[in-house]
Amino acid sequence: EAGVVQSPRYKIIEKKQPVAFWCNPISGHNTLYWYRQNLGQGPELLIRYENEEAVDDSQLPKDRFSAERLKGVDSTLKIQPAELGDSAVYLCASSPGGEGSEQYFGPGTRLTVT
Amino acid sequence: GEDVEQSLFLSVREGDSSVINCTYTDSSSTYLYWYKQEPGAGLQLLTYIFSNMDMKQDQRLTVLLNKKDKHLSLRIADTQTGDSAIYFCAESSGGSYIPTFGRGTSLIVHP
């Protein structure tokens, strides 16, 4: 069974440019998460989807970040415009949902903003 | 202060036991987790313990929970070079089961 797929794996952009990340969760997983992991830190939740509905986006900086999960499967996370402080690893995870269900993480996209 | 705290580095000799410690602040924590992250990879759930348990053992891994002191530990027996990675402690509470992570402990295993 394929794991969580993310692309691209690495992205380097100049500040003020837009950037988008893509995530394909494990088949059948209803819950999808986007995390940001700064260097030397643990992941921090940006947004959580239950199917196509964003149920927790309180940590998403909505002035520049947006996300969507059309059809409740793949998801994209966009930053426009990017700032130097956005440099981080963006992790996608999915889970079947329900009590205590395990989250499966993708390898992440490492974003460098210059 | 941080919700979940752990030491940043641990160095052990191959074959020895490793003990990684973690403290947390949320007394309503329901689940406590240990994740492993290898270079360039996402996080992998190693084990978790429900808050009404005080110990869980899974092969080389032993998790101890002191709920009174809000202290969690992960013991890895017979540590191997392949165990070198960053280990994250995390806790979740309420119904969302979304973990709050510590900063991670970098485990270095040398021959």
Side-chain angles (χ1 to χ4, degrees):
Chain A
E1 179 183 278
V4 176
V5 179
Q6 291 187 247
S7 69
R9 290 295 313 276
Y10 305 92
K11 189 73 175 179
I12 302 173
I13 61 170
E14 294 183 346
K15 63 182 180 182
K16 299 184 183 179
Q17 294 301 306
V19 64
F21 315 123
W22 176 79
C23 173
N24 181 237
I26 293 173
S27 177
H29 282 193
N30 297 325
T31 309
L32 184 145
Y33 313 77
W34 282 103
Y35 289 86
R36 176 168 58 190
Q37 185 177 18
N38 292 313
L39 187 64
Q41 304 288 328
E44 294 178 321
L45 182 71
L46 291 173
I47 190 168
R48 174 171 67 102
Y49 282 93
E50 294 290 345
N51 298 303
E52 66 274 11
E53 183 182 357
V55 296
D56 185 353
D57 63 354
S58 58
Q59 301 302 313
L60 190 73
K62 297 182 183 63
D63 57 335
R64 297 182 300 107
F65 285 65
S66 64
E68 61 182 11
R69 191 184 184 198
L70 300 176
K71 301 181 182 178
V73 181
D74 294 3
S75 178
T76 56
L77 177 69
K78 298 178 182 178
I79 309 174
Q80 183 171 10
E83 297 178 353
L84 293 176
D86 296 331
S87 295
V89 176
Y90 290 83
L91 294 165
C92 179
S94 70
S95 70
E99 181 172 339
S101 64
E102 178 179 349
Q103 295 185 27
Y104 294 82
F105 282 82
T109 296
R110 181 177 294 277
L111 174 66
T112 302
V113 182
T114 63
Chain B
E2 293 185 5
D3 296 327
V4 180
E5 293 191 7
Q6 46 185 135
S7 54
L8 295 183
F9 298 99
L10 177 65
S11 178
V12 300
R13 191 181 301 275
E14 189 175 17
D16 288 351
S17 292
S18 308
V19 179
I20 304 172
N21 295 300
C22 167
T23 57
Y24 59 97
T25 58
D26 189 349
S27 57
S28 64
S29 294
T30 307
Y31 288 93
L32 295 122
Y33 311 83
W34 284 104
Y35 286 81
K36 177 182 181 183
Q37 187 176 35
E38 298 185 67
L43 278 71
Q44 173 195 1
L45 180 65
L46 285 178
T47 186
Y48 67 92
I49 188 168
F50 192 58
S51 60
N52 67 354
M53 301 168 63
D54 53 20
M55 188 182 90
K56 182 177 181 181
Q57 188 158 2
D58 183 2
Q59 299 182 342
R60 293 191 296 122
L61 305 179
T62 302
V63 177
L64 295 178
L65 173 61
N66 181 328
K67 195 172 180 181
K68 174 177 172 290
D69 294 338
K70 300 189 186 68
H71 181 269
L72 184 74
S73 69
L74 173 69
R75 178 177 181 270
I76 305 173
D78 187 25
T79 313
Q80 302 298 307
T81 55
D83 294 325
S84 294
I86 301 175
Y87 290 80
F88 290 92
C89 172
E91 63 86 21
S92 69
S93 57
S96 66
Y97 310 104
I98 296 174
T100 298
F101 291 89
R103 295 181 65 182
T105 298
S106 182
L107 174 65
I108 300 165
V109 182
H110 54 90

